[in-house]
Amino acid sequence: MLFVLYPLFDVGAAIYDLRSSRTTGSPALLYVNIAVSLITAVGVGVACASGIPAVLRVWGAWAVVAGLVQLIVGVTRRKMGGQWPMIISGGISVLAGGSFIAGASADNPSLTNAAGYAIPGAIFFLIAAFRLGRSAKGN
């Protein structure tokens, strides 16, 4: 269930970010993140029927793509301040996603590491969105 809810939480955080950052330039990458996360929520739900390796592959691919988007958005908005949580979260997501994909091929794949990744990632993304909201209101 967490593996379906987390991408949906990511959608909510990205929507909050969009509303908070109307003056920060093109929101195209945030829309990409929303679309990828919605597709992932469905994909993980379908992958659950195929077993843990399928879930890890879908989850890992999403972590890589969403992480790259977060990393790019955070770096491009670095001058605004308050983007370090998004940059850190994006970098961690890219690395973690690769490890989830690799872990899908293990003899006994497990969802334990993927579940542990979700909580700090969500916190970093939400902190970045709140900080951006404060920065945007201050301008």
Side-chain angles (χ1 to χ4, degrees), residues 5 25 36 99 110 113 133 135:
L5 290 178
V36 168
S99 74
S110 169
N113 290 339
S135 293

Side-chain angles (χ1 to χ4, degrees), residues 29 34 38 80 136:
L29 285 174
I34 290 168
L38 286 171
M80 295 180 59

Side-chain angles (χ1 to χ4, degrees), residues 22-94:
R22 290 184 180 149
T23 62
T24 62
S26 174
L29 285 174
L30 291 172
Y31 286 118
V32 168
N33 192 37
I34 290 168
V36 168
S37 294
L38 286 171
I39 291 166
T40 298
V42 173
V44 168
V46 171
C48 285
S50 296
I52 292 174
V55 171
L56 285 172
R57 286 184 186 100
V58 172
W59 183 260
W62 168 71
V64 169
V65 172
L68 285 172
V69 169
Q70 289 177 6
L71 192 56
I72 292 167
V73 169
V75 167
T76 59
R77 295 192 306 202
R78 196 176 27 166
K79 291 180 183 177
M80 295 180 59
Q83 295 304 297
W84 63 265
M86 186 175 281
I87 293 168
I88 293 168
S89 177
I92 290 169
S93 290
V94 170

